[in-house]
Amino acid sequence: MITYIKINGFKSFQNFEMEFTPLSIIAGTNASGKSNLFDALRLISHLAEAEKIHNAFRKEQRGEMYELFSQLDENTHSREMEFCIEMLVNRTIKDAWGGEANLKYTRLRYELKIRRFINRSGIEDIEVTYEWLENLKHQDDKWIKFLPKETLTYWRPKVETGKRGIPYIYTESINEILTVVVPQDGSQGGNKRTYPLTNASRTVLSSIDSVDFKHILAAKEEMKSWRFLQLNPEDLRMPTSKKTGEDVISPSGKNLAAALYRINLDDAYSLVEISRKLNSFLPNFTEVMIKDDIANKQFIISLKGTDGKEYTSRVLSEGTLRLLTLCVLEQDMKHTGLLCFEEPENGIHPFRIKATVELLKDLSIDFTNLNMPLRQVIVNTHSPVLVSEMYKFKGDKYVSIHFAEMISRIATFDNKKVKLFVSKITPVAMDAESTIEFTEYERKITLHRIKEYLQTLDVEANS
């Protein structure tokens, strides 16, 4: 799970910092930068697996490659973007060949810089200029306060001897050429891999596939696992063809039926739990069923109603299908890591948003439960109803609400002062401390603005 991010030079972000909890809610009006944060996370995820950084920049991003760099004025964009990500990763890692290794450190920090330039052909191009991965030192790890003392050593193992003093990836100048160095994992010396950064077209982290470099692989797999839900009701309604070869729910909701069939095969009691959970939110449905339509080579979801009738997914409402998807994800052992959910209130009746909030909470990790997968949810929303329901978790340190807005800022580039409109996302005071420093004035202003935001709910209710 991601615990901290710093972004500079990407879209509307300039020296931007944000800290995350297992369930983080980002509220704000349209054009306040909420979606830009998801775009940044999506780009980082693709950079961790793409064979070429150009492919990552083109995949699921809004705008041309140069437009992802911060716009400084009408005709100018920044020349470099940089990211810093701190994360908590699983204690064990597997590679594609079945190799498995235990990690010495589960708290990692990854840094990356990408530069745009004009190549020899006069074409706009990009390259990696800096890469770094290190373990977070215990004494410097402020986020760790979110972990309960009784389970702290499970999530962040104690290191008695042989503490690592060198990064897993670092960048230095060798023979006046910027070079990424990858030392052996588990050793302070030994052989090193070197990668000269001469028009580097991919990240070094993306090239590591073996548990021989287990901490690099763990960071890579964490970022690759980030998922971005944008559920499409038409995709949710469709049965899953057996010819797809897929049994994992896609970002749009495809393969929901195949995922449910797999879950039922692994543990038939999971279907009982899914039925029970959905019934607690939608009392008109008593049972969730999955059918193997052998004749048509497909899987079909249906719900049994209190009237005794069966309703296939083809006729279910969008809201029902969205709640069902969250119930299925909770029981899906293949679902681990970060889930980014854009406007989960879409298609949900306001009376059902409370149920949605409870499901989102259930989908995020409770660190006191050692049997629970390492799961995290980040939501962006413009719904005051959803924010109001989330605010009821005030005092729960695993839940945080943040307020997004665009602010103006004066900055200097090439000895020239420019006025920028940048994203700012400030945590709302909920009796939970942030390790990022904000002034008391900023906190009061943010709390005031979120209260104003919630008052629109009263206006809507009385209109």
Side-chain angles (χ1 to χ4, degrees):
M1 65 178 286
I2 182 170
T3 59
Y4 166 87
I5 192 168
K6 184 173 183 179
I7 311 171
N8 192 36
F10 176 84
K11 288 195 173 182
S12 58
F13 296 112
Q14 290 291 325
N15 296 315
F16 169 85
E17 292 182 276
M18 184 173 176
E19 186 176 72
F20 302 93
T21 51
L23 176 56
S24 300
I25 312 301
I26 306 166
T29 58
N30 291 332
S32 60
K34 305 188 305 295
S35 294
N36 283 351
L37 177 62
F38 278 16
D39 287 343
L41 293 172
R42 189 179 283 110
L43 177 61
I44 294 165
S45 179
H46 291 327
L47 286 167
E49 62 178 336
E51 292 189 1
K52 290 189 175 181
I53 57 176
H54 295 78
N55 296 340
F57 271 69
R58 296 188 185 105
K59 191 174 180 180
E60 299 180 88
Q61 286 293 337
R62 301 170 296 160
E64 297 294 333
M65 185 171 68
Y66 77 92
E67 292 178 300
L68 301 187
F69 291 80
S70 296
Q71 186 168 1
L72 306 180
D73 58 35
E74 189 176 349
N75 301 307
T76 309
H77 287 76
S78 61
R79 288 188 289 270
E80 186 176 69
M81 65 173 65
E82 55 185 312
F83 305 98
C84 173
I85 306 102
E86 294 180 2
M87 61 194 97
L88 173 67
V89 298
N90 287 301
R91 292 154 49 94
T92 60
I93 186 67
K94 291 182 180 180
D95 62 25
W97 299 275
E100 186 171 347
N102 294 320
L103 298 186
K104 193 171 186 178
Y105 298 95
T106 59
R107 293 286 286 137
L108 303 173
R109 181 206 304 267
Y110 178 65
E111 298 176 19
L112 178 68
K113 294 181 183 179
I114 295 173
R115 179 181 79 99
R116 69 182 185 91
F117 65 101
I118 304 299
N119 65 23
R120 293 176 59 189
S121 301
I123 297 173
E124 184 93 23
D125 208 345
I126 51 175
E127 64 180 354
V128 176
T129 59
Y130 179 87
E131 202 168 355
W132 188 281
L133 178 71
E134 64 181 343
N135 60 298
L136 276 166
K137 306 300 184 289
H138 289 195
Q139 65 271 21
D140 300 327
D141 191 0
K142 297 178 181 179
W143 183 90
I144 215 67
K145 68 183 178 61
F146 288 106
L147 297 181
K149 290 181 180 179
E150 60 271 22
T151 60
L152 173 60
T153 55
Y154 177 85
W155 300 107
R156 188 192 67 178
K158 202 168 190 178
V159 179
E160 300 289 353
T161 58
K163 295 181 180 180
R164 189 176 181 90
I166 57 174
Y168 300 106
I169 300 175
Y170 61 90
T171 303
E172 66 177 8
S173 179
I174 299 178
N175 297 325
E176 299 185 351
I177 297 174
L178 279 177
T179 304
V180 174
V181 181
V182 180
Q184 286 185 342
D185 202 337
S187 171
Q188 299 287 340
N191 296 326
K192 299 177 180 178
R193 292 186 183 182
T194 57
Y195 303 82
L197 289 178
T198 307
N199 300 129
S201 61
R202 72 181 297 182
T203 64
V204 169
L205 180 133
S206 69
S207 69
I208 301 297
D209 294 310
S210 168
V211 292
D212 291 340
F213 299 91
K214 56 189 178 183
H215 289 88
I216 302 177
L217 182 61
K220 172 184 175 178
E221 292 301 314
E222 164 61 28
M223 289 183 278
K224 277 177 57 180
S225 73
W226 297 350
R227 300 172 66 185
F228 301 84
L229 274 190
Q230 289 181 305
L231 297 177
N232 182 324
E234 294 307 312
D235 289 342
L236 290 170
R237 289 190 179 103
M238 291 297 294
T240 306
S241 170
K242 293 183 180 180
K243 296 177 182 179
T244 64
E246 295 287 342
D247 62 3
V248 174
I249 302 170
S250 77
S252 67
K254 289 181 180 178
N255 313 318
L256 178 62
L260 185 57
Y261 187 81
R262 167 180 51 78
I263 292 167
N264 186 48
L265 281 180
D266 292 341
D267 182 3
Y269 185 71
S270 295
L271 199 57
V272 176
E273 276 297 298
I274 292 170
S275 299
R276 182 193 63 78
K277 181 64 73 72
L278 187 68
N279 174 255
S280 69
F281 300 130
L282 302 173
N284 289 338
F285 296 111
T286 59
E287 186 179 356
V288 179
M289 296 173 289
I290 182 67
K291 294 184 178 180
D292 183 357
D293 182 359
I294 297 174
N296 295 302
K297 297 182 179 180
Q298 62 183 8
F299 301 114
I300 302 174
I301 292 174
S302 61
L303 304 184
K304 181 178 284 188
T306 52
D307 56 6
K309 296 179 181 179
E310 292 184 13
Y311 301 87
T312 69
S313 57
R314 293 188 183 93
V315 300
L316 296 175
S317 71
E318 180 181 350
T320 297
L321 288 166
R322 282 173 167 265
L323 290 175
L324 174 61
T325 302
L326 295 179
C327 290
V328 172
L329 281 170
E330 184 184 0
Q331 294 296 322
D332 189 355
M333 291 300 103
K334 280 193 175 183
H335 167 51
T336 60
L338 169 61
L339 184 69
C340 294
F341 203 168
E342 188 125 19
E343 298 178 354
E345 67 273 9
N346 286 349
I348 299 282
H349 191 280
F351 290 150
R352 302 297 184 202
I353 287 183
K354 180 180 179 181
T356 303
V357 167
E358 290 180 14
L359 282 167
L360 293 171
K361 181 69 168 70
D362 291 341
L363 272 170
S364 58
I365 184 72
D366 175 357
F367 287 113
T368 63
N369 184 354
L370 301 185
N371 296 316
M372 191 174 183
L374 190 55
R375 290 174 172 172
Q376 180 182 24
V377 180
I378 302 175
V379 167
N380 75 35
T381 180
H382 60 247
S383 167
V385 182
L386 189 141
V387 174
S388 177
E389 290 296 336
M390 282 294 178
Y391 202 73
K392 293 176 182 177
F393 288 106
K394 184 177 180 180
D396 186 332
K397 65 180 181 179
Y398 297 159
V399 180
S400 58
I401 298 177
H402 308 254
F403 188 70
E405 58 185 333
M406 297 293 288
I407 63 170
S408 62
R409 179 179 293 169
I410 302 297
T412 302
F413 293 95
D414 293 335
N415 298 318
K416 202 169 52 168
K417 287 189 176 181
V418 295
K419 184 177 182 180
L420 304 175
F421 287 94
V422 302
S423 293
K424 185 174 183 179
I425 302 179
T426 311
V428 177
M430 291 179 63
D431 298 338
E433 296 179 5
S434 169
T435 63
I436 299 175
E437 292 185 7
F438 292 93
T439 66
E440 190 62 27
Y441 174 76
E442 287 176 315
R443 290 186 179 278
K444 286 181 178 179
I445 286 293
T446 302
L447 187 58
H448 174 70
R449 285 178 179 162
I450 203 74
K451 285 179 178 178
E452 284 184 331
Y453 186 71
L454 291 173
Q455 283 173 3
T456 62
L457 178 60
D458 299 327
V459 173
E460 292 171 1
N462 294 323
S463 62

